[in-house]
Amino acid sequence: MSVESSKGPRAEIENLLMESRRFPPDPAFVARANATAALYEEAERDYVAFWERLARERISWYTPFDRTLEWDLPFAKWFTGGELNISYNCVDRHVERGLGDKVAYHWIGEPGDTRTLTYADLLRDVGKAANALKELGVRKGDRVAIYMPMIPELPIAMLACARIGAPHTVVFGGFSAEALAGRINDAEAKVLITADGGWRRGKAVGLKQHADDALVDTPSVESVLVVRRLGDAVYMLEGRDHWWHEVVERQPALCPPTPVESEHMLYLLYTSGTTAKPKGIVHTTAGYLVGTSFTHETIFDVKPDDVFWCAADIGWVTGHSYIVYGPLANATTSILYEGAPDTPAWDRWWRIVEDYKVTILYCAPTAIRAFMKQGEAWPQAHDLSSLRLLGSVGEPINPEAWLWYHEHVGGGKAPIVDTWWQTETGMILITPLPGVTTTKPGSATFPFPGVEADVVDGDGRSVPFGGGGYLVLKRPWPAMLRGIYGDPERYRQTYWSRFPGMYFTGDGAKRDDEGYFWLLGRVDDVMNVAGHRISTTEVESALVDHRSVAEAAVVGKSDAVTGQAIFAYVILKAGQEPSEALALQLREHVAHVIGPIARPRHLLFTPDLPKTRSGKIMRRLLRDLAEGRVLGDTTTLADAMVVDSIRAASGRGEDE
Ligand code: WTA
């Protein structure tokens, strides 16, 4: 494995490093900031004691913990001996101290319908949903799958599971029936919570149909709860399927929270790895609650009167940590928006910011670049002066997008926090603190207090400032993954074997002369398309699954808006003729097998693929070819003619 050696990312990083503008925090912001530099000092003195203090202060415990950290590398246990309930911490305790009327979510449906949920409303709805799950036979430890659009019942369902100690596994609503079935089966979920559908780009998306297709093949599922969002007629299987409004509504609102141990599994979230089989990332209760709530409060500088908007989908980790658990633990008012940023027009977000006086906005660089492309007239037409802090997540943000965001959304004054983290890390780990850190456009700056990150070379040696290498983490942190569900060996292998004693992130990074971290993207076979992780192997196996395909190789090609776009090289079986129609069919096939986010943007039929003598596909060359770059080292190529034949084939494919 080598850090991306082709010219693209390197050249880009050289440019980044020439980006010399600096943005020190505004003194007025500093004066009121939640986090000060003292946090770094405290955490450096003793990081275990630091997290211990936070866990004691921030969590309402039924039984206080007696050990802060048990670290049996690579298996961590935090706050053992303690008992708590995360839904109690996110809802009940706020109502008990008089915040029942505070808004938890301002929900906005894509067609324009709205709902407001206060903390008292949440308490009632979560209690009812939890009682309904109990009636369906869900017990502590049983897994519940959730496949829903962005409607209030989604966080309610998650909290209801957590209330009775049933780990949830949320599957992004854009995933296919097949992807849903795979996740349900890996988790052996007993119940599925879904909806008749949701709205996306003005179209009704029928989730129940996908769910039904998935459920043909999921023996563990006993019951299905269906929220009515669209009102269209859907198939309901007698004895298995139940309407949410029938079963949940008639339940008593009171459901005492079930105390669980600190290390009780809170949820599973599946993410792409370097193989075709997604990994079920395990997160547990207390450490995750401490990590997400504390980072939320300090990095976003959240105050009681803020209106916070994390514009991710709850189906991804960003939504789990910064729409649901972090903000709710801090009694924050959040925006929950169902639909697309361009529906009905490209100012949809800016309307929401204006109407709800949003103060903090957290989104992905892909969204920012898409807005840039539409021009600044859209944000300019709205009063965005309520925004006082902006965040970025999911991929490296290029300085140009950073500066556009700063100027046209943040009014040239709101600080930007570029936050690096992963599904596995559970919480933000590399980020500025907005009242402390001088930012540089394009840099995620420094590790969060208590976090030890390093950039190492291929032998695991720390690379001095000014150099690049692999990003690793050298200490456990409370919200870290506890493993891959059902596969401790894969956990050890994937994250802890590349560099002994260190967690390998799969990302390349560079530190500049002042120690600022600059993220360089993935160094493994994982693509990052519009901030979503998609494995090359997963797309390849979806292609090969098609009856016409003999072999496929997939790479990420740089894209001005989505960061990377999927580029597929396809070898057809004998007797199959390349055609535009077939290319279209294959792209649709991938969308069908995995989900529309994985549909290749480019597809090229080729007679052969470049391989090493040992038969390994040389993706590096395919990336160079896709980018139209001069080829790197070809000495290990078994058959040098292959490259020419691929070049000759160019044009015989199909682009979106
Ligand atoms: C990338 C999303 C650069 C990185 C929270 C990581 C980033 C992967 C940033 C995790 C950032 C995330 N700058 N790259 N600020 N944030 N990434 O699991 O490659 O969906 O490994 O978690 O996204 O993606 P995931």
Side-chain angles (χ1 to χ4, degrees), residues 302-317:
V302 179
K303 308 276 201 280
D305 56 354
D306 272 310
V307 179
F308 178 77
W309 185 11
C310 167
D313 191 289
I314 292 177
W316 309 108
V317 76

Side-chain angles (χ1 to χ4, degrees), residues 5 48 65 131 344 410 443 507 592:
S5 59
V48 177
F65 61 93
N131 282 325
S443 167
D507 279 12
H592 177 77

Side-chain angles (χ1 to χ4, degrees), residues 311-324:
D313 191 289
I314 292 177
W316 309 108
V317 76
T318 305
H320 280 61
S321 298
Y322 299 107
I323 298 178
V324 183

Side-chain angles (χ1 to χ4, degrees), residues 318 394-396 418-423 507 519 522 528 533:
T318 305
E395 7 155 18
D418 173 6
T419 63
W420 177 90
W421 58 298
Q422 308 179 303
T423 304
D507 279 12
L519 278 304
R522 306 284 309 189
N528 191 328
R533 271 165 76 171

Side-chain angles (χ1 to χ4, degrees), residues 269-272 281 316-319 322 362 365 392-397 417-428 430-431 442-444 471 503 505-508 518-524 526-528 531-534:
L269 188 59
Y270 287 82
T271 189
S272 291
I281 301 299
W316 309 108
V317 76
T318 305
Y322 299 107
Y362 186 37
S392 166
V393 60
E395 7 155 18
I397 180 164
V417 288
D418 173 6
T419 63
W420 177 90
W421 58 298
Q422 308 179 303
T423 304
E424 292 86 342
T425 70
M427 62 189 247
I428 296 166
I430 302 180
T431 177
S443 167
L471 180 67
Y503 170 93
T505 60
D507 279 12
W518 299 76
L519 278 304
L520 299 174
R522 306 284 309 189
V523 295
D524 52 16
V526 177
M527 296 172 289
N528 191 328
H532 302 319
R533 271 165 76 171
I534 302 169

